[in-house]
Amino acid sequence: MALIDWSPNFSVGIAQLDDEHKQLIKMINTLHDAMKQGKGRQALLPLLDELTDYALNHFAHEESLMVQHKYPEYEQHKKIHADFAKKISEYKKLHDQQLLSANQLLNILRDWLISHICNTDKMYGPFLQDIPTT
Ligand SMILES: [Fe+2]
Ligand SMILES: [Fe+2]
């Protein structure tokens, strides 16, 4: 069973960004499945790296669209991404030192991403929608 399922409530109203959010959710579920199957650190680590790399690329993509559309909350949103990116690397270090379990790390990533999509990302929807992409 998936840890989280995509819900229309998660939609930010921009198909390509919804698709990236769906992919992030898919990767969280893949990681969760691997953990449930009792896969060891060696198997989990590449999945975790893949997920965090994808998240960082996704942040950069959102930021470039915000700049393109002159989104007024750009600086604030960018800072939230940067703060979380810093936290991810700290959490990964704790995980490497076995001070944070894969399960704890997964829950942190899931909770942050869902809350970020539903609260912070959704706010850019109308701004990025109204102006057609060139
Ligand atoms: Fe996002
Ligand atoms: Fe975002």
Side-chain angles (χ1 to χ4, degrees), residues 7 15 17 37 52 58 60-61 96 105 107 111 129:
S7 145
L17 295 175
Q37 288 160 18
T52 52
H58 165 69
H61 186 207
D96 288 343
L105 183 53
N107 285 335
D111 293 347
Q129 251 174 1

Side-chain angles (χ1 to χ4, degrees), residues 41-67:
R41 293 174 69 78
Q42 291 307 319
L44 296 179
L45 225 51
L47 295 175
L48 190 60
D49 285 343
E50 209 185 331
L51 169 62
T52 52
D53 285 353
Y54 191 91
L56 297 182
N57 283 325
H58 165 69
F59 293 166
H61 186 207
E62 281 187 346
E63 286 163 21
S64 76
L65 289 174
M66 286 178 210
V67 170

Side-chain angles (χ1 to χ4, degrees), residues 110-123:
R110 177 201 57 186
D111 293 347
W112 189 90
L113 282 167
I114 298 305
S115 148
H116 182 74
I117 292 168
C118 292
N119 299 300
T120 314
D121 282 352
K122 268 192 180 179
M123 286 162 61

Side-chain angles (χ1 to χ4, degrees), residues 31-45:
L31 189 57
H32 181 243
D33 285 344
M35 278 169 30
K36 271 206 320 204
Q37 288 160 18
K39 298 242 171 93
R41 293 174 69 78
Q42 291 307 319
L44 296 179
L45 225 51

Side-chain angles (χ1 to χ4, degrees), residues 41 44-45 48 89-105:
R41 293 174 69 78
L44 296 179
L45 225 51
L48 190 60
S89 66
E90 284 163 16
Y91 291 140
K92 279 170 93 173
K93 258 182 234 158
L94 288 175
H95 177 64
D96 288 343
Q97 294 161 2
Q98 311 210 356
L99 295 170
L100 188 73
S101 72
N103 204 29
Q104 285 171 312
L105 183 53

